[in-house]
Amino acid sequence: MTKKVNWGIIGLGKIAHKFAQDILLSEAAHLQAVASRSVEKAKKFKIDFHAESAYGSYLELIKDEAVDIVYIALPHSQHFEFSMLALQHDKSVLCEKPMGLNPQEVEKLQEEAKKRKLFLMEGIWTRFIPASQKLFTLLDEKTIGEIISLKADFGFKPNYNPSSRLFDPALGGGSLLDVGFYPLYLSLMALGEPQGIKAFARFSDSGVDSHCQMLLQFATGALAQLESSFEVQTPTEAHIYGTKGSIKVHSRFHHPEKITLRLNEGATKDFEIKYRGNGYVHEIEAVSLNLLEGKIENELLPHHHSLKLSQLLARVKKEIDRDSN
């Protein structure tokens, strides 16, 4: 492949490091520019990952004419502001999840992207992980029949720091937005939008949810039990039970390399499917190819899916906010 998409990265934290490592693995992508509030940090990142330019402000990168698409890897509270700024400067955007703190922000970004005919996608990398693709194929083919129930958890125990992005309300903190996103995403992919939601939470001293339990009921009668936590280390697995069998998505289910299919008659099959690099390369290549093809949405993760997911998060948040009052 001779033509490559020039990427810019805004926000140079842990995820950005993994993402940049995977850009180096892609034949369709090139790291053009990086930006941090600290120009020293940006210059080091540039050297480490062979970028062309380093900036000490996000706007400078956005204005770089050589950049085709901006990857937003900032705290949740800044996703909307800098995604919109990039779009308004005619840059395509891949924004880390969640794209916005509420459905209104997501809608505004999508409207701006469509108006300007620019590519926009939420960075739900799990959608492009090869083992995840296999899972969705098995579900689409009704391999386990009609789904009766789904269980998924994501919990880890970080050190409590009220000013960190995980625990600071001003930065969009809380287990629901950070890791509860993934169980909800899986339920939406497997079962669609729920009719009913019950959710309960525990709250940290800073006021964000530190542990969240969700029960979703669907029109088919299926149920989903979902959990997110900053208080306990959970298996971070997913189990989907159907009329003909079950599927276990092994830890960590949002970027798995193994899924197990068990049919009611006793047959069991393991699918071990490795991802490349840190797992982000599959998303990077899908988005880069979309840009080279002139597309403004990805067919596996279209705009309407991100909007539905944002609306679902808002419904859960409304439920747990009652607990905090």
Side-chain angles (χ1 to χ4, degrees):
M1 181 177 294
T2 54
K3 174 69 173 170
K4 289 191 175 187
V5 170
N6 287 333
W7 286 77
I9 299 178
I10 286 179
L12 305 181
K14 185 168 69 172
I15 291 178
H17 279 74
K18 293 181 178 180
F19 194 88
Q21 287 171 357
D22 279 13
I23 284 181
L24 297 176
L25 301 178
S26 172
E27 293 184 4
H30 170 68
L31 185 54
Q32 180 66 32
V34 297
S36 169
R37 289 174 298 180
S38 163
V39 70
E40 292 78 15
K41 185 176 181 180
K43 286 178 178 177
K44 183 180 185 307
F45 199 101
K46 170 192 169 183
I47 293 168
D48 290 346
F49 299 104
H50 312 296
E52 303 294 337
S53 304
Y55 297 108
S57 85
Y58 305 145
L59 182 57
E60 280 185 286
L61 182 145
I62 287 170
K63 288 182 173 180
D64 186 335
E65 293 184 0
V67 172
D68 298 314
I69 182 167
V70 180
Y71 173 58
I72 310 288
L74 296 166
H76 298 161
S77 57
Q78 296 178 295
H79 286 182
F80 173 77
E81 176 187 356
F82 287 98
S83 292
M84 182 61 79
L85 191 65
L87 292 170
Q88 289 173 342
H89 283 79
D90 290 317
K91 291 289 191 291
S92 292
V93 170
L94 174 66
C95 179
E96 259 309 318
K97 58 82 187 166
M99 186 185 293
L101 292 181
N102 54 59
Q104 292 74 31
E105 289 187 350
V106 173
E107 277 191 291
K108 287 177 182 176
L109 290 174
Q110 292 177 348
E111 287 169 1
E112 189 71 21
K114 287 175 181 175
K115 180 177 76 175
R116 294 176 178 271
K117 295 182 172 58
L118 294 167
F119 183 90
L120 172 68
M121 195 182 87
E122 190 170 25
I124 309 177
W125 64 313
T126 184
R127 185 67 182 94
F128 304 92
I129 296 289
S132 294
Q133 303 272 43
K134 182 62 178 179
L135 167 66
F136 298 134
T137 297
L138 291 172
L139 294 179
D140 288 343
E141 293 173 349
K142 303 287 186 182
T143 308
I144 60 169
E146 298 301 320
I147 297 173
I148 301 299
S149 72
L150 182 153
K151 297 179 181 179
D153 66 87
F154 197 148
F156 68 106
K157 198 169 182 179
N159 293 325
Y160 177 68
N161 177 355
S163 62
S164 74
R165 70 168 189 87
L166 297 179
F167 291 100
D168 188 344
L171 297 178
S175 76
L176 175 63
L177 277 186
D178 194 61
V179 292
F181 187 98
Y182 288 110
L184 276 168
Y185 158 79
L186 181 60
S187 74
L188 183 62
M189 286 295 299
L191 292 163
E193 295 179 77
Q195 283 189 326
I197 295 176
K198 295 291 183 185
F200 303 91
R202 289 165 54 92
F203 293 86
S204 69
D205 290 341
S206 62
V208 302
D209 68 281
S210 54
H211 190 105
C212 184
Q213 296 270 3
M214 298 159 268
L215 180 63
L216 281 57
Q217 184 180 38
F218 299 84
T220 60
L223 299 173
Q225 294 175 253
L226 313 175
E227 179 180 24
S228 64
S229 185
F230 290 159
E231 294 194 64
V232 295
Q233 186 82 36
T234 70
T236 312
E237 297 174 343
H239 300 263
I240 306 172
Y241 302 92
T243 53
K244 295 181 180 178
S246 65
I247 297 173
K248 175 182 177 179
V249 189
H250 293 256
S251 187
R252 294 174 122 190
F253 79 86
H254 67 305
H255 60 116
E257 293 190 311
K258 181 179 179 181
I259 58 178
T260 298
L261 170 66
R262 290 186 175 88
L263 299 178
N264 290 346
E265 62 266 23
T268 300
K269 184 172 183 180
D270 289 331
F271 298 90
E272 297 197 31
I273 310 170
K274 302 293 184 182
Y275 53 75
R276 292 168 56 207
N278 297 309
Y280 293 93
V281 64
H282 306 287
E283 174 185 56
I284 290 165
E285 293 198 325
V287 171
S288 296
L289 290 173
N290 285 160
L291 261 70
L292 292 171
E293 293 165 355
K295 295 180 179 179
I296 64 169
E297 293 184 60
N298 181 278
E299 61 183 11
L300 296 182
L301 207 57
H303 289 183
H304 70 83
H305 188 282
S306 287
L307 182 58
K308 285 182 180 178
L309 190 50
S310 181
Q311 291 165 343
L312 184 53
L313 283 161
R315 289 173 66 185
V316 174
K317 192 172 187 306
K318 186 177 179 181
E319 281 283 311
I320 65 174
D321 281 349
R322 293 195 184 109
D323 296 348
S324 62
N325 295 329

